[in-house]
């Protein structure tokens, strides 16, 4: 089937309208998909369409949606026992709803071999999954890293930060470049709790302690104070975040593409998009993670998750086996410059853009450096810890806009985290009591 309207899709889910009766000859399953790259979305839509046309038993309803809609609506649908059969998502909090594919795959050993690194590192959650569960696969690996406009640095005569540079070095250099070139935005970062966490880890922050959330610890508090100070000094213009409210995500990619930002903290998933949108407009580069107490960043992934709400696990597994196959994942990696989760050797990226090639190499090395405790924290999202991210956005925005003092920020955040930890503790107990 062709792409569905997102709003109609979620409405249809609520009414339970998707069923195999819609197509008498075939079983219909729904694949909900989201990506920043419209070309990748179109590519995947065409591939899924071809799969449906060639498969005698399965028709896949491919539904594309925006990131914000996916983040807000999919968890509610799954909690209500609805939702798509499969989704591409970044939300580790949904791992508790995932279907173990092992009993349904034709070749579970091959599937596990191809995706074992990601499944073991980040997807298989103790207390949720069996020790050998196959709850989907990692579609891509990501790292939060700075993009810099090299052309602006050259025009300003300011040297680029070199490996081992500190966040302070980066802010000073970005401010100096902006002053010399007249660019309005020296530094910005996506309005995202996940992105906010990249520099926090450089500061040495740990978000969890003894199975509960420990935020903000002393390291995170220092990052929060410093970012506020840099905002007050004009290095990080607050309107970039203040224009959005609550836990709403906001990307700053368009401003970087338009040459309005000196340094933009985002991640390697934008490499292909920037290559196409910037073209020969200016020279740019991905830097390694900045240093403070540590030289690391926030690591993450996108996932292809099958859900227990499906009425057609066998068909879901057949589609997932095709979707996760080596030839298709190789094509996605090489054509769209993605660090895929599949273990594939001898990749030959089609791009000739040195920005992208260098960026992929940098991101790949940074991902290797991310310590296990970062991924251990992310596993806690399946207990409800993912709700920390909107708390981070809401409370920091209030502090950033001088609506609350730092002490009041700490008090409000502490209360939010206390309530969240109560939820997590309840979920932990329920897991223990579940046979």
């Amino acid at each position: 089937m062709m792409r569905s309207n997102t709003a109609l899709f979620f409405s249809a889910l609520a009414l339970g309208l998707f069923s195999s009766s819609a197509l008498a000859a075939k079983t219909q399953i729904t694949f909900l998909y989201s990506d920043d790259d419209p070309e990748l979305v179109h590519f995947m839509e065409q591939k899924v369409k071809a799969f449906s046309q060639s498969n005698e038993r399965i028709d896949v309803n491919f539904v594309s949606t925006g990131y914000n809609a996916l983040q807000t609506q999919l968890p509610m649908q799954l909690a209500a026992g609805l939702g798509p059969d499969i989704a591409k998502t970044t939300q580790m909090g949904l791992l508790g709803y995932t279907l173990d594919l092992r009993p349904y795959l034709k070749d579970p050993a091959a599937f596990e071999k191809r995706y074992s690194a990601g499944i073991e590192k980040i997807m298989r959650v103790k207390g949720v999954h069996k020790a050998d569960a196959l709850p989907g696969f990692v579609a891509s690996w990501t790292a939060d890293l700075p993009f810099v406009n090299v052309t602006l640095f050259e025009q300003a005569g300011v040297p680029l930060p070199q490996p081992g540079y500190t966040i302070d070095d980066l802010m000073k250099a970005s401010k100096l470049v902006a002053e010399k070139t007249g660019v309005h935005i020296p530094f910005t970062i996506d309005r995202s709790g996940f992105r906010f966490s990249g520099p926090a880890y450089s500061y040495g922050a740990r978000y969890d302690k003894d199975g509960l959330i420990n935020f903000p610890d002393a390291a995170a508090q220092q990052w929060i104070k410093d970012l506020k100070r840099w905002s007050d000094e004009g290095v990080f213009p607050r309107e970039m975040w203040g224009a959005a409210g609550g836990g709403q995500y906001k990307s700053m990619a368009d401003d970087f593409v338009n040459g309005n930002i000196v340094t933009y903290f985002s991640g390697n998933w934008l490499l292909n998009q920037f290559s196409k949108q910037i073209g020969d407009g200016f020279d740019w580069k991905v830097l390694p993670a900045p240093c403070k107490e540590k030289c690391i960043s926030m690591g993450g992934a996108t996932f292809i998750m099958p859900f227990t709400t499906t009425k057609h696990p066998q068909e879901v597994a057949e589609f997932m086996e095709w979707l996760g196959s080596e030839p298709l994942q190789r094509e996605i990696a090489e054509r769209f410059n993605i660090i895929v989760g599949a273990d594939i050797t001898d990749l030959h990226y089609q791009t000739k853009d040195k920005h992208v090639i260098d960026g992929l190499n940098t991101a790949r090395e940074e991902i290797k450096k991310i310590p296990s405790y970062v991924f251990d924290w992310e596993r806690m999202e399946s207990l409800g810890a993912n709700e920390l991210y909107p708390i981070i956005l809401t409370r920091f925005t209030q502090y950033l806009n001088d609506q609350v003092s730092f002490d009041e920020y700490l008090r409000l955040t502490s209360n939010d985290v206390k309530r969240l930890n109560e939820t997590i503790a309840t979920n932990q107990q329920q897991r223990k009591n579940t046979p």
Side-chain angles (χ1 to χ4, degrees):
M1 294 182 69
M2 294 301 289
R3 190 181 310 178
S4 300
N5 177 274
T6 302
L8 291 177
F9 165 73
F10 282 111
S11 298
L13 283 178
L15 295 171
L17 297 181
F18 288 136
S19 70
S20 58
S21 61
L23 290 169
K26 290 188 176 186
T27 298
Q28 185 183 86
I29 59 175
T30 300
F31 181 27
L32 183 60
Y33 195 87
S34 179
D35 197 273
D36 288 335
D37 188 342
E39 290 192 21
L40 177 55
V41 174
H42 178 72
F43 167 87
M44 187 55 63
E45 181 181 15
Q46 296 306 306
K47 287 289 184 181
V48 170
K49 181 180 178 181
F51 171 88
S52 295
Q53 290 174 340
S54 63
N55 193 290
E56 296 179 352
R57 299 187 309 105
I58 306 171
D59 183 82
V60 182
N61 180 39
F62 182 87
V63 181
S64 66
T65 184
Y67 182 80
N68 278 327
L70 187 77
Q71 291 288 102
T72 57
Q73 297 182 53
L74 182 56
M76 291 188 292
Q77 293 292 341
L78 292 171
L82 302 170
D85 300 273
I86 307 161
K88 175 176 179 278
T89 179
T90 62
Q91 295 171 282
M92 291 190 66
L94 303 182
L95 283 170
Y97 298 104
T98 50
L99 173 72
D100 181 5
L101 293 170
R102 184 176 290 277
Y104 308 103
L105 293 169
K106 289 182 180 179
D107 192 350
F111 188 93
E112 183 170 24
K113 182 179 179 182
R114 190 174 302 127
Y115 291 104
S116 60
I119 290 172
E120 292 174 6
K121 180 182 287 188
I122 200 168
M123 289 192 77
R124 197 180 281 153
V125 180
K126 186 177 180 180
V128 172
H129 302 118
K130 294 180 180 179
D132 65 347
L134 300 175
F137 63 84
V138 171
S140 64
W141 290 107
T142 61
D144 291 356
L145 298 170
F147 290 79
V148 292
N149 186 320
V150 175
T151 298
L152 290 176
F153 272 84
E154 291 174 345
Q155 289 174 353
V158 176
L160 282 175
Q162 297 301 305
Y165 73 94
T166 67
I167 293 182
D168 303 81
D169 295 334
L170 182 64
M171 295 297 189
K172 290 176 183 176
S174 300
K175 181 180 181 181
L176 185 58
V177 170
E179 289 172 348
K180 291 191 172 185
T181 60
V183 169
H184 178 59
I185 307 167
F187 171 90
T188 195
I189 183 170
D190 289 332
R191 193 177 191 275
S192 156
F194 194 92
R195 216 80 69 249
F196 175 92
S197 302
Y201 279 114
S202 294
Y203 272 68
R206 296 284 294 266
Y207 280 13
D208 62 302
K209 183 178 181 180
D210 300 326
L212 295 173
I213 295 174
N214 180 43
F215 181 88
D217 63 7
Q221 288 183 38
Q222 189 58 56
W223 160 234
I224 290 161
K225 287 180 179 178
D226 284 349
L227 190 56
K228 173 65 163 66
R229 172 172 57 83
W230 284 317
S231 177
D232 291 342
E233 295 171 355
V235 181
F236 168 49
R238 67 191 65 194
E239 59 266 25
M240 301 299 289
W241 270 45
Q248 185 179 352
Y249 169 79
K250 183 183 177 186
S251 170
M252 311 301 174
D254 287 346
D255 284 290
F256 185 78
V257 168
N258 292 329
N260 298 326
I261 300 172
V262 177
T263 300
Y264 170 42
F265 207 96
S266 193
N268 58 285
W269 57 91
L270 288 171
L271 287 168
N272 198 57
Q273 179 180 334
F274 281 177
S275 177
K276 290 179 171 59
Q277 292 181 338
I278 296 173
D280 297 328
F282 57 86
D283 192 11
W284 54 277
K285 182 180 179 68
V286 179
L287 298 181
C291 300
K292 190 70 173 180
E293 292 299 316
K294 301 176 183 292
C295 301
I296 60 171
S297 189
M298 183 71 166
T302 60
F303 309 94
I304 305 294
M305 294 186 188
F307 298 116
T308 55
T309 49
T310 183
K311 294 180 174 63
H312 311 290
Q314 200 69 55
E315 287 79 6
V316 164
E318 182 176 337
F319 176 71
M320 289 283 292
E321 218 152 7
W322 168 82
L323 187 62
S325 63
E326 191 270 352
L328 181 53
Q329 290 301 309
R330 177 181 292 277
E331 185 176 2
I332 291 171
E334 293 179 344
R335 182 169 174 177
F336 294 97
N337 309 310
I338 292 172
I339 303 174
V340 293
D343 183 10
I344 302 174
T345 57
D346 300 320
L347 286 170
H348 300 286
Y349 291 100
Q350 295 177 11
T351 184
K352 292 180 171 53
D353 189 337
K354 191 173 184 299
H355 303 100
V356 175
I357 295 169
D358 289 348
L360 284 169
N361 291 334
T362 298
R364 195 176 288 109
E365 290 306 309
E366 291 301 311
I367 290 166
K368 291 177 184 177
K369 288 162 46 179
I370 295 168
S372 60
Y373 65 77
V374 174
F375 295 114
D376 290 342
W377 149 254
E378 291 181 48
R379 277 198 185 97
M380 282 183 62
E381 290 187 25
S382 63
L383 289 164
N386 56 301
E387 291 302 316
L388 176 63
Y389 294 135
I391 290 172
I392 288 174
L393 293 181
T394 300
R395 297 310 183 193
F396 179 70
T397 300
Q398 290 175 323
Y399 175 51
L400 184 69
N401 290 331
D402 295 319
Q403 294 171 316
V404 297
S405 66
F406 184 71
D407 287 344
E408 183 68 1
Y409 160 82
L410 290 178
R411 186 186 69 79
L412 292 169
T413 303
S414 175
N415 290 339
D416 293 337
V417 169
K418 181 180 178 181
R419 287 191 291 269
L420 185 52
N421 275 333
E422 290 171 356
T423 300
I424 291 171
T426 299
N427 292 338
Q428 288 173 331
Q429 191 60 47
Q430 288 176 346
R431 280 189 186 175
K432 290 178 182 178
N433 296 336
T434 301

